[in-house]
Amino acid sequence: MEFKHQATVTLAEVAEAAGVGESTVSRVLRNHGSFSGKTRERVMAAVERLGYVPNRIAGTLASTGSRLVAFVIPSLSNIVFPDVLRGASAVLEENRYQAVFSVTDYDPGKEEALAAAMLAWRPAAVMLAGYEHTDGTAKMLRASGCRVVELLDLDGDALDIAVGFSNRAAGRESAAFLLKRGYNRIGYVGHDLKRDTRAGKRFSSFCETLDIAGVPLVAHEILAGPSSVEDGRLGLERLLARATDLDAVYFSNDDMALGGYFHCLAQGIAIPSQLAIFGYNGLDIGRTIPQPLSTIRTPRVATGEIAAQLIVANAPPQVVDLGFELIEGATA
Amino acid sequence: MEFKHQATVTLAEVAEAAGVGESTVSRVLRNHGSFSGKTRERVMAAVERLGYVPNRIAGTLASTGSRLVAFVIPSLSNIVFPDVLRGASAVLEENRYQAVFSVTDYDPGKEEALAAAMLAWRPAAVMLAGYEHTDGTAKMLRASGCRVVELLDLDGDALDIAVGFSNRAAGRESAAFLLKRGYNRIGYVGHDLKRDTRAGKRFSSFCETLDIAGVPLVAHEILAGPSSVEDGRLGLERLLARATDLDAVYFSNDDMALGGYFHCLAQGIAIPSQLAIFGYNGLDIGRTIPQPLSTIRTPRVATGEIAAQLIVANAPPQVVDLGFELIEGATA
DNA sequence: GTGAAAGCGCTAACAG
DNA sequence: CTGTTAGCGCTTTCAC
């Protein structure tokens, strides 16, 4: 049972109380069109007195556009997507837009269902992670006529607007960095790559870069399920049990890398002399551990901000590459 | 400029195409009321053919209740509120409710403004953190007639529904634990308590408990701004510079405590023999560091889930105490 | 500068 | 089982 619109004050009642027409109240409230100062006073007084709260549902239906922005995100389990939401919501709130969200758990089918549910709210824009959508999702989004923003990836074709950075480039630069440092017995620890396709792209371009250099990946350990610090630790433990002579390990992200780092601390494995560790994301915590984590810092908050700004400004279709920053750190 | 409802298929067009009345289409789509299997077929075929997406804005206006649930949260900077959102959104999505959110940055004035903006969408419920609201917010919420859920705190009077646990009890038990372990030169490192009133409650009941035991707090260090791992590190560094003989430090939360832990690791301070560390929240990462963090684990995801379930079920006003779990860990 | 009236797309009685 | 008819509360012409 939902909320009943009980005893809600309507615009008509405000108009009546102020002794003016409904359209006048509407104009005053939206500060649009013309009205006298005196009228304004009376309307505002009535609004105050009655405790009127405009009904945006009705307003949106009557007018031609909504100020809802829909986020369809894969996960809320680590700080990555909250960072994006944070950046976006700051901009949206300033512009009187309202953020709406749902979580797909990295399931493309769920993404399609949730995107459809979102479209029913007729949002000004739908924001999704990356480019990997089902045909149904893509078709539906295109047909909707609503703006679409794909976030945090640039390796593919944008439906409309894309804001982020290249995961392939990130994987490549990570490999190049480790090679430059002279590591040549390199391993990988990652989480479910089928679902997290951006992590998958990083991994594959990482491997390609190693191959080209003639220093192929020695071993890898993939854990099922979402990334976590504990799985990073466990993954490294397993990897080292199989491949004893690694000199560096690339992790699917910082959460996993931190787990690896802690494993080394606990086992007395010297970092980076005995084993180097490299992550991805550039989480704040990586800067405060005794040896700053070597990683790639991604502009997550900025991605949200820019995406929101483009929607608010109704910008034309475009791809915005925000780049990323390689942090040399002390672990690799 | 917002999204234009361009060339959108309407229910009337579907009805026309299917050769039935509008209400029949509506009934079929909502699977409510009665209609023949044959009618159902024809309607669904038309829906499919035209690519019809129901307009929930119009539906909500016409019917008597919305399936929007509004979250007004203080922050997205750490994992605490995302955890709550995650728990809630899973339940809401299953029940075809839609989550909407805005972020207050722990500013009560902003909370009032954002709550007002939320109310304009006529949500089924508004979910807020804790009990500390401006009079304006409380009054507005009460007058709205919409359900209100206060989350993550139970120390105060609920407006309607409250789901969480007692922060005062958490502070008290943390102190009792440290006392039981025999620590008696106890310090505190915290972040901005004016804004984060729940952390403030934990701190004050922590201190009261120490006072009662005749072992008052020796020193404390409060950093401006939100909690962070780095500020935890910095806070402990500063605190130890002033108070050299502490044997335990209570932190405002796990992020801060982890910073303190890393400071000790880097400085070669033995934990817990030389200095004990105690946190709050029970983040996953605290379990994977070489010495599991001693802390209090709070049921954040469950808080979101229960809150959502109560709203979906239109439960009566009530206070749900989910409790918390003290993790003994290895740092205190 | 202001009001009357016609919808926005849907749901909810109410007849049939 | 199904169609017709009023609205939901607002914005938006369009006269005045």
Side-chain angles (χ1 to χ4, degrees), chain A residues 59-104:
Chain A
T60 300
L61 181 60
S63 69
T64 170
S66 97
R67 279 177 177 259
L68 247 21
V69 172
F71 292 83
V72 181
I73 59 179
S75 155
L76 282 175
S77 300
N78 69 15
I79 202 65
V80 171
F81 294 103
D83 274 345
V84 175
L85 293 180
R86 174 156 61 98
S89 83
V91 172
L92 295 179
E93 280 160 20
E94 272 171 19
N95 292 276
R96 304 181 350 105
Y97 277 71
Q98 182 60 63
V100 175
F101 75 95
S102 20
V103 180
T104 69

mmCIF file of all heavy atoms in Angstrom, chain A residues 59-104:
data_model
loop_
_atom_site.group_PDB
_atom_site.id
_atom_site.type_symbol
_atom_site.label_atom_id
_atom_site.label_comp_id
_atom_site.label_asym_id
_atom_site.label_seq_id
_atom_site.Cartn_x
_atom_site.Cartn_y
_atom_site.Cartn_z
ATOM 1 N N GLY A 59 3.305 18.429 -12.247
ATOM 2 C CA GLY A 59 4.023 19.424 -13.042
ATOM 3 C C GLY A 59 4.729 18.794 -14.220
ATOM 4 O O GLY A 59 4.681 19.301 -15.343
ATOM 5 N N THR A 60 5.365 17.682 -13.965
ATOM 6 C CA THR A 60 6.111 17.000 -15.023
ATOM 7 C C THR A 60 5.161 16.488 -16.107
ATOM 8 O O THR A 60 5.457 16.571 -17.292
ATOM 9 C CB THR A 60 6.899 15.819 -14.428
ATOM 10 O OG1 THR A 60 7.801 16.324 -13.447
ATOM 11 C CG2 THR A 60 7.672 15.092 -15.508
ATOM 12 N N LEU A 61 4.043 15.968 -15.667
ATOM 13 C CA LEU A 61 3.091 15.449 -16.645
ATOM 14 C C LEU A 61 2.556 16.580 -17.533
ATOM 15 O O LEU A 61 2.433 16.432 -18.745
ATOM 16 C CB LEU A 61 1.929 14.757 -15.941
ATOM 17 C CG LEU A 61 0.873 14.157 -16.875
ATOM 18 C CD1 LEU A 61 1.503 13.110 -17.783
ATOM 19 C CD2 LEU A 61 -0.267 13.559 -16.078
ATOM 20 N N ALA A 62 2.256 17.696 -16.900
ATOM 21 C CA ALA A 62 1.686 18.812 -17.646
ATOM 22 C C ALA A 62 2.710 19.458 -18.568
ATOM 23 O O ALA A 62 2.399 19.822 -19.702
ATOM 24 C CB ALA A 62 1.130 19.851 -16.682
ATOM 25 N N SER A 63 3.905 19.620 -18.067
ATOM 26 C CA SER A 63 4.920 20.247 -18.905
ATOM 27 C C SER A 63 5.514 19.165 -19.779
ATOM 28 O O SER A 63 5.117 18.021 -19.750
ATOM 29 C CB SER A 63 5.991 20.916 -18.072
ATOM 30 O OG SER A 63 6.759 19.971 -17.404
ATOM 31 N N THR A 64 6.501 19.508 -20.511
ATOM 32 C CA THR A 64 6.951 18.558 -21.503
ATOM 33 C C THR A 64 8.207 17.785 -21.119
ATOM 34 O O THR A 64 8.576 16.839 -21.782
ATOM 35 C CB THR A 64 7.121 19.279 -22.839
ATOM 36 O OG1 THR A 64 7.765 18.454 -23.752
ATOM 37 C CG2 THR A 64 7.917 20.528 -22.656
ATOM 38 N N GLY A 65 8.852 18.165 -20.034
ATOM 39 C CA GLY A 65 10.081 17.449 -19.707
ATOM 40 C C GLY A 65 10.251 17.224 -18.222
ATOM 41 O O GLY A 65 9.766 17.977 -17.400
ATOM 42 N N SER A 66 10.945 16.161 -17.876
ATOM 43 C CA SER A 66 11.157 15.881 -16.462
ATOM 44 C C SER A 66 12.548 16.333 -16.047
ATOM 45 O O SER A 66 13.420 16.542 -16.877
ATOM 46 C CB SER A 66 11.007 14.393 -16.189
ATOM 47 O OG SER A 66 12.246 13.751 -16.174
ATOM 48 N N ARG A 67 12.750 16.461 -14.762
ATOM 49 C CA ARG A 67 14.070 16.784 -14.246
ATOM 50 C C ARG A 67 14.575 15.631 -13.424
ATOM 51 O O ARG A 67 15.232 15.797 -12.403
ATOM 52 C CB ARG A 67 14.018 18.066 -13.407
ATOM 53 C CG ARG A 67 14.040 19.316 -14.263
ATOM 54 C CD ARG A 67 13.921 20.560 -13.409
ATOM 55 N NE ARG A 67 14.005 21.748 -14.222
ATOM 56 C CZ ARG A 67 15.103 22.499 -14.350
ATOM 57 N NH1 ARG A 67 16.204 22.181 -13.702
ATOM 58 N NH2 ARG A 67 15.090 23.565 -15.107
ATOM 59 N N LEU A 68 14.258 14.445 -13.874
ATOM 60 C CA LEU A 68 14.746 13.239 -13.229
ATOM 61 C C LEU A 68 15.944 12.753 -14.030
ATOM 62 O O LEU A 68 15.915 12.759 -15.259
ATOM 63 C CB LEU A 68 13.635 12.195 -13.319
ATOM 64 C CG LEU A 68 12.881 11.653 -12.114
ATOM 65 C CD1 LEU A 68 12.952 12.547 -10.901
ATOM 66 C CD2 LEU A 68 11.434 11.371 -12.497
ATOM 67 N N VAL A 69 16.977 12.334 -13.339
ATOM 68 C CA VAL A 69 18.098 11.701 -14.028
ATOM 69 C C VAL A 69 18.275 10.311 -13.433
ATOM 70 O O VAL A 69 18.404 10.160 -12.218
ATOM 71 C CB VAL A 69 19.394 12.515 -13.880
ATOM 72 C CG1 VAL A 69 20.584 11.736 -14.425
ATOM 73 C CG2 VAL A 69 19.256 13.842 -14.620
ATOM 74 N N ALA A 70 18.238 9.312 -14.284
ATOM 75 C CA ALA A 70 18.245 7.925 -13.828
ATOM 76 C C ALA A 70 19.635 7.305 -13.923
ATOM 77 O O ALA A 70 20.272 7.364 -14.970
ATOM 78 C CB ALA A 70 17.266 7.118 -14.663
ATOM 79 N N PHE A 71 20.087 6.705 -12.836
ATOM 80 C CA PHE A 71 21.370 6.002 -12.826
ATOM 81 C C PHE A 71 21.108 4.510 -12.734
ATOM 82 O O PHE A 71 20.384 4.055 -11.853
ATOM 83 C CB PHE A 71 22.209 6.431 -11.624
ATOM 84 C CG PHE A 71 22.668 7.854 -11.717
ATOM 85 C CD1 PHE A 71 21.826 8.896 -11.329
ATOM 86 C CD2 PHE A 71 23.916 8.171 -12.209
ATOM 87 C CE1 PHE A 71 22.235 10.220 -11.431
ATOM 88 C CE2 PHE A 71 24.337 9.484 -12.311
ATOM 89 C CZ PHE A 71 23.493 10.513 -11.927
ATOM 90 N N VAL A 72 21.682 3.769 -13.641
ATOM 91 C CA VAL A 72 21.573 2.312 -13.599
ATOM 92 C C VAL A 72 23.002 1.824 -13.399
ATOM 93 O O VAL A 72 23.795 1.803 -14.339
ATOM 94 C CB VAL A 72 20.981 1.764 -14.905
ATOM 95 C CG1 VAL A 72 20.862 0.249 -14.838
ATOM 96 C CG2 VAL A 72 19.615 2.383 -15.158
ATOM 97 N N ILE A 73 23.349 1.482 -12.176
ATOM 98 C CA ILE A 73 24.734 1.174 -11.858
ATOM 99 C C ILE A 73 24.910 -0.286 -11.472
ATOM 100 O O ILE A 73 23.980 -0.926 -10.992
ATOM 101 C CB ILE A 73 25.260 2.078 -10.736
ATOM 102 C CG1 ILE A 73 24.411 1.907 -9.492
ATOM 103 C CG2 ILE A 73 25.265 3.523 -11.195
ATOM 104 C CD1 ILE A 73 24.890 2.749 -8.338
ATOM 105 N N PRO A 74 26.108 -0.813 -11.705
ATOM 106 C CA PRO A 74 26.340 -2.239 -11.463
ATOM 107 C C PRO A 74 26.386 -2.606 -9.990
ATOM 108 O O PRO A 74 26.023 -3.718 -9.626
ATOM 109 C CB PRO A 74 27.716 -2.500 -12.089
ATOM 110 C CG PRO A 74 27.972 -1.338 -12.978
ATOM 111 C CD PRO A 74 27.258 -0.182 -12.363
ATOM 112 N N SER A 75 26.838 -1.701 -9.142
ATOM 113 C CA SER A 75 27.121 -2.115 -7.774
ATOM 114 C C SER A 75 27.219 -0.930 -6.824
ATOM 115 O O SER A 75 27.560 0.184 -7.215
ATOM 116 C CB SER A 75 28.458 -2.867 -7.773
ATOM 117 O OG SER A 75 29.079 -2.820 -6.526
ATOM 118 N N LEU A 76 26.931 -1.205 -5.556
ATOM 119 C CA LEU A 76 27.179 -0.195 -4.525
ATOM 120 C C LEU A 76 28.104 -0.793 -3.467
ATOM 121 O O LEU A 76 28.177 -0.315 -2.354
ATOM 122 C CB LEU A 76 25.863 0.241 -3.872
ATOM 123 C CG LEU A 76 24.998 1.230 -4.653
ATOM 124 C CD1 LEU A 76 23.678 1.467 -3.919
ATOM 125 C CD2 LEU A 76 25.726 2.567 -4.811
ATOM 126 N N SER A 77 28.800 -1.857 -3.849
ATOM 127 C CA SER A 77 29.598 -2.565 -2.856
ATOM 128 C C SER A 77 30.962 -1.957 -2.609
ATOM 129 O O SER A 77 31.582 -2.221 -1.593
ATOM 130 C CB SER A 77 29.788 -4.023 -3.271
ATOM 131 O OG SER A 77 28.538 -4.641 -3.381
ATOM 132 N N ASN A 78 31.476 -1.214 -3.555
ATOM 133 C CA ASN A 78 32.686 -0.479 -3.214
ATOM 134 C C ASN A 78 32.459 0.990 -3.539
ATOM 135 O O ASN A 78 31.356 1.378 -3.936
ATOM 136 C CB ASN A 78 33.926 -1.064 -3.895
ATOM 137 C CG ASN A 78 33.925 -0.843 -5.377
ATOM 138 O OD1 ASN A 78 33.178 -0.038 -5.917
ATOM 139 N ND2 ASN A 78 34.774 -1.571 -6.065
ATOM 140 N N ILE A 79 33.468 1.791 -3.360
ATOM 141 C CA ILE A 79 33.259 3.237 -3.393
ATOM 142 C C ILE A 79 33.209 3.813 -4.805
ATOM 143 O O ILE A 79 32.876 4.987 -4.993
ATOM 144 C CB ILE A 79 34.369 3.916 -2.543
ATOM 145 C CG1 ILE A 79 33.946 5.312 -2.071
ATOM 146 C CG2 ILE A 79 35.671 3.974 -3.313
ATOM 147 C CD1 ILE A 79 32.771 5.296 -1.127
ATOM 148 N N VAL A 80 33.492 2.993 -5.809
ATOM 149 C CA VAL A 80 33.595 3.510 -7.177
ATOM 150 C C VAL A 80 32.313 4.201 -7.666
ATOM 151 O O VAL A 80 32.340 5.365 -8.049
ATOM 152 C CB VAL A 80 34.011 2.383 -8.146
ATOM 153 C CG1 VAL A 80 33.909 2.852 -9.585
ATOM 154 C CG2 VAL A 80 35.439 1.942 -7.839
ATOM 155 N N PHE A 81 31.200 3.495 -7.627
ATOM 156 C CA PHE A 81 29.974 4.107 -8.135
ATOM 157 C C PHE A 81 29.405 5.171 -7.203
ATOM 158 O O PHE A 81 28.898 6.185 -7.672
ATOM 159 C CB PHE A 81 28.966 3.026 -8.524
ATOM 160 C CG PHE A 81 29.471 2.227 -9.690
ATOM 161 C CD1 PHE A 81 29.996 0.965 -9.509
ATOM 162 C CD2 PHE A 81 29.499 2.774 -10.959
ATOM 163 C CE1 PHE A 81 30.517 0.240 -10.583
ATOM 164 C CE2 PHE A 81 30.015 2.060 -12.040
ATOM 165 C CZ PHE A 81 30.524 0.795 -11.849
ATOM 166 N N PRO A 82 29.507 4.977 -5.887
ATOM 167 C CA PRO A 82 29.130 6.084 -5.010
ATOM 168 C C PRO A 82 29.904 7.370 -5.331
ATOM 169 O O PRO A 82 29.352 8.463 -5.270
ATOM 170 C CB PRO A 82 29.463 5.554 -3.614
ATOM 171 C CG PRO A 82 29.243 4.089 -3.733
ATOM 172 C CD PRO A 82 29.710 3.732 -5.129
ATOM 173 N N ASP A 83 31.156 7.234 -5.702
ATOM 174 C CA ASP A 83 31.933 8.421 -6.084
ATOM 175 C C ASP A 83 31.313 9.110 -7.302
ATOM 176 O O ASP A 83 31.206 10.328 -7.363
ATOM 177 C CB ASP A 83 33.382 8.036 -6.402
ATOM 178 C CG ASP A 83 34.267 8.007 -5.164
ATOM 179 O OD1 ASP A 83 33.849 8.544 -4.110
ATOM 180 O OD2 ASP A 83 35.380 7.453 -5.247
ATOM 181 N N VAL A 84 30.935 8.305 -8.267
ATOM 182 C CA VAL A 84 30.318 8.865 -9.466
ATOM 183 C C VAL A 84 28.994 9.551 -9.111
ATOM 184 O O VAL A 84 28.714 10.684 -9.528
ATOM 185 C CB VAL A 84 30.070 7.768 -10.520
ATOM 186 C CG1 VAL A 84 29.327 8.336 -11.718
ATOM 187 C CG2 VAL A 84 31.387 7.136 -10.951
ATOM 188 N N LEU A 85 28.205 8.882 -8.303
ATOM 189 C CA LEU A 85 26.916 9.440 -7.887
ATOM 190 C C LEU A 85 27.112 10.736 -7.119
ATOM 191 O O LEU A 85 26.358 11.698 -7.281
ATOM 192 C CB LEU A 85 26.165 8.451 -6.988
ATOM 193 C CG LEU A 85 25.671 7.155 -7.626
ATOM 194 C CD1 LEU A 85 24.944 6.306 -6.583
ATOM 195 C CD2 LEU A 85 24.745 7.447 -8.802
ATOM 196 N N ARG A 86 28.131 10.745 -6.288
ATOM 197 C CA ARG A 86 28.404 11.935 -5.490
ATOM 198 C C ARG A 86 28.708 13.132 -6.377
ATOM 199 O O ARG A 86 28.177 14.226 -6.185
ATOM 200 C CB ARG A 86 29.600 11.635 -4.572
ATOM 201 C CG ARG A 86 30.106 12.793 -3.777
ATOM 202 C CD ARG A 86 30.833 12.313 -2.536
ATOM 203 N NE ARG A 86 31.998 11.489 -2.807
ATOM 204 C CZ ARG A 86 33.257 11.955 -2.818
ATOM 205 N NH1 ARG A 86 33.489 13.242 -2.614
ATOM 206 N NH2 ARG A 86 34.257 11.146 -3.039
ATOM 207 N N GLY A 87 29.566 12.906 -7.366
ATOM 208 C CA GLY A 87 29.901 13.993 -8.279
ATOM 209 C C GLY A 87 28.669 14.460 -9.031
ATOM 210 O O GLY A 87 28.405 15.661 -9.150
ATOM 211 N N ALA A 88 27.889 13.523 -9.496
ATOM 212 C CA ALA A 88 26.713 13.874 -10.285
ATOM 213 C C ALA A 88 25.657 14.554 -9.427
ATOM 214 O O ALA A 88 25.074 15.566 -9.834
ATOM 215 C CB ALA A 88 26.131 12.622 -10.937
ATOM 216 N N SER A 89 25.426 14.030 -8.244
ATOM 217 C CA SER A 89 24.302 14.556 -7.474
ATOM 218 C C SER A 89 24.558 15.991 -7.027
ATOM 219 O O SER A 89 23.625 16.780 -6.925
ATOM 220 C CB SER A 89 23.952 13.641 -6.297
ATOM 221 O OG SER A 89 24.776 13.891 -5.195
ATOM 222 N N ALA A 90 25.807 16.327 -6.788
ATOM 223 C CA ALA A 90 26.109 17.714 -6.415
ATOM 224 C C ALA A 90 25.665 18.661 -7.529
ATOM 225 O O ALA A 90 25.013 19.676 -7.285
ATOM 226 C CB ALA A 90 27.601 17.872 -6.136
ATOM 227 N N VAL A 91 25.987 18.301 -8.743
ATOM 228 C CA VAL A 91 25.623 19.149 -9.885
ATOM 229 C C VAL A 91 24.108 19.132 -10.121
ATOM 230 O O VAL A 91 23.483 20.163 -10.359
ATOM 231 C CB VAL A 91 26.351 18.669 -11.160
ATOM 232 C CG1 VAL A 91 25.839 19.406 -12.381
ATOM 233 C CG2 VAL A 91 27.856 18.855 -10.993
ATOM 234 N N LEU A 92 23.520 17.970 -10.011
ATOM 235 C CA LEU A 92 22.084 17.850 -10.259
ATOM 236 C C LEU A 92 21.279 18.645 -9.231
ATOM 237 O O LEU A 92 20.319 19.320 -9.574
ATOM 238 C CB LEU A 92 21.666 16.376 -10.233
ATOM 239 C CG LEU A 92 22.260 15.519 -11.350
ATOM 240 C CD1 LEU A 92 21.805 14.075 -11.212
ATOM 241 C CD2 LEU A 92 21.877 16.072 -12.723
ATOM 242 N N GLU A 93 21.693 18.549 -7.974
ATOM 243 C CA GLU A 93 20.950 19.257 -6.933
ATOM 244 C C GLU A 93 20.988 20.766 -7.144
ATOM 245 O O GLU A 93 19.987 21.444 -6.954
ATOM 246 C CB GLU A 93 21.494 18.896 -5.542
ATOM 247 C CG GLU A 93 20.956 17.545 -5.066
ATOM 248 C CD GLU A 93 21.799 16.915 -3.970
ATOM 249 O OE1 GLU A 93 22.566 17.623 -3.298
ATOM 250 O OE2 GLU A 93 21.685 15.683 -3.795
ATOM 251 N N GLU A 94 22.137 21.252 -7.547
ATOM 252 C CA GLU A 94 22.255 22.688 -7.832
ATOM 253 C C GLU A 94 21.283 23.131 -8.917
ATOM 254 O O GLU A 94 20.853 24.271 -8.950
ATOM 255 C CB GLU A 94 23.662 23.010 -8.347
ATOM 256 C CG GLU A 94 24.664 23.303 -7.274
ATOM 257 C CD GLU A 94 26.064 23.381 -7.860
ATOM 258 O OE1 GLU A 94 26.180 23.559 -9.096
ATOM 259 O OE2 GLU A 94 27.023 23.254 -7.091
ATOM 260 N N ASN A 95 21.012 22.227 -9.818
ATOM 261 C CA ASN A 95 20.163 22.574 -10.951
ATOM 262 C C ASN A 95 18.741 22.048 -10.819
ATOM 263 O O ASN A 95 18.027 21.941 -11.802
ATOM 264 C CB ASN A 95 20.802 22.056 -12.240
ATOM 265 C CG ASN A 95 22.075 22.808 -12.562
ATOM 266 O OD1 ASN A 95 22.028 23.874 -13.157
ATOM 267 N ND2 ASN A 95 23.208 22.275 -12.143
ATOM 268 N N ARG A 96 18.378 21.725 -9.604
ATOM 269 C CA ARG A 96 17.031 21.258 -9.313
ATOM 270 C C ARG A 96 16.642 20.014 -10.098
ATOM 271 O O ARG A 96 15.464 19.802 -10.402
ATOM 272 C CB ARG A 96 16.011 22.396 -9.525
ATOM 273 C CG ARG A 96 16.360 23.643 -8.692
ATOM 274 C CD ARG A 96 15.397 24.807 -8.824
ATOM 275 N NE ARG A 96 14.411 24.686 -9.862
ATOM 276 C CZ ARG A 96 13.124 24.411 -9.661
ATOM 277 N NH1 ARG A 96 12.686 24.203 -8.442
ATOM 278 N NH2 ARG A 96 12.294 24.356 -10.665
ATOM 279 N N TYR A 97 17.608 19.208 -10.399
ATOM 280 C CA TYR A 97 17.308 17.902 -10.977
ATOM 281 C C TYR A 97 17.274 16.894 -9.841
ATOM 282 O O TYR A 97 17.842 17.145 -8.775
ATOM 283 C CB TYR A 97 18.393 17.489 -11.979
ATOM 284 C CG TYR A 97 18.198 18.070 -13.357
ATOM 285 C CD1 TYR A 97 18.407 19.425 -13.579
ATOM 286 C CD2 TYR A 97 17.804 17.281 -14.419
ATOM 287 C CE1 TYR A 97 18.232 19.976 -14.840
ATOM 288 C CE2 TYR A 97 17.625 17.809 -15.682
ATOM 289 C CZ TYR A 97 17.839 19.166 -15.892
ATOM 290 O OH TYR A 97 17.653 19.688 -17.128
ATOM 291 N N GLN A 98 16.640 15.783 -10.078
ATOM 292 C CA GLN A 98 16.537 14.764 -9.057
ATOM 293 C C GLN A 98 17.148 13.460 -9.548
ATOM 294 O O GLN A 98 16.838 13.007 -10.647
ATOM 295 C CB GLN A 98 15.060 14.575 -8.707
ATOM 296 C CG GLN A 98 14.826 13.584 -7.620
ATOM 297 C CD GLN A 98 15.519 13.983 -6.344
ATOM 298 O OE1 GLN A 98 15.214 15.012 -5.758
ATOM 299 N NE2 GLN A 98 16.498 13.193 -5.927
ATOM 300 N N ALA A 99 18.025 12.870 -8.744
ATOM 301 C CA ALA A 99 18.671 11.607 -9.114
ATOM 302 C C ALA A 99 17.849 10.405 -8.653
ATOM 303 O O ALA A 99 17.324 10.379 -7.551
ATOM 304 C CB ALA A 99 20.064 11.532 -8.509
ATOM 305 N N VAL A 100 17.762 9.432 -9.520
ATOM 306 C CA VAL A 100 17.043 8.190 -9.286
ATOM 307 C C VAL A 100 18.034 7.081 -9.603
ATOM 308 O O VAL A 100 18.848 7.251 -10.493
ATOM 309 C CB VAL A 100 15.863 8.111 -10.274
ATOM 310 C CG1 VAL A 100 15.138 6.799 -10.162
ATOM 311 C CG2 VAL A 100 14.924 9.272 -10.067
ATOM 312 N N PHE A 101 18.013 5.972 -8.872
ATOM 313 C CA PHE A 101 18.991 4.936 -9.204
ATOM 314 C C PHE A 101 18.448 3.531 -9.030
ATOM 315 O O PHE A 101 17.483 3.312 -8.312
ATOM 316 C CB PHE A 101 20.250 5.088 -8.348
ATOM 317 C CG PHE A 101 20.062 4.634 -6.930
ATOM 318 C CD1 PHE A 101 20.411 3.345 -6.548
ATOM 319 C CD2 PHE A 101 19.523 5.487 -5.986
ATOM 320 C CE1 PHE A 101 20.214 2.913 -5.242
ATOM 321 C CE2 PHE A 101 19.323 5.064 -4.678
ATOM 322 C CZ PHE A 101 19.672 3.777 -4.310
ATOM 323 N N SER A 102 19.081 2.597 -9.705
ATOM 324 C CA SER A 102 18.919 1.183 -9.370
ATOM 325 C C SER A 102 20.200 0.430 -9.655
ATOM 326 O O SER A 102 21.065 0.899 -10.389
ATOM 327 C CB SER A 102 17.731 0.523 -10.069
ATOM 328 O OG SER A 102 17.323 1.219 -11.176
ATOM 329 N N VAL A 103 20.320 -0.729 -9.051
ATOM 330 C CA VAL A 103 21.568 -1.489 -9.028
ATOM 331 C C VAL A 103 21.402 -2.805 -9.772
ATOM 332 O O VAL A 103 20.502 -3.585 -9.467
ATOM 333 C CB VAL A 103 21.982 -1.777 -7.570
ATOM 334 C CG1 VAL A 103 23.278 -2.566 -7.522
ATOM 335 C CG2 VAL A 103 22.111 -0.471 -6.795
ATOM 336 N N THR A 104 22.284 -3.066 -10.730
ATOM 337 C CA THR A 104 22.141 -4.246 -11.584
ATOM 338 C C THR A 104 22.911 -5.474 -11.118
ATOM 339 O O THR A 104 22.719 -6.557 -11.663
ATOM 340 C CB THR A 104 22.656 -3.958 -13.005
ATOM 341 O OG1 THR A 104 24.079 -3.802 -12.955
ATOM 342 C CG2 THR A 104 22.041 -2.694 -13.582
#
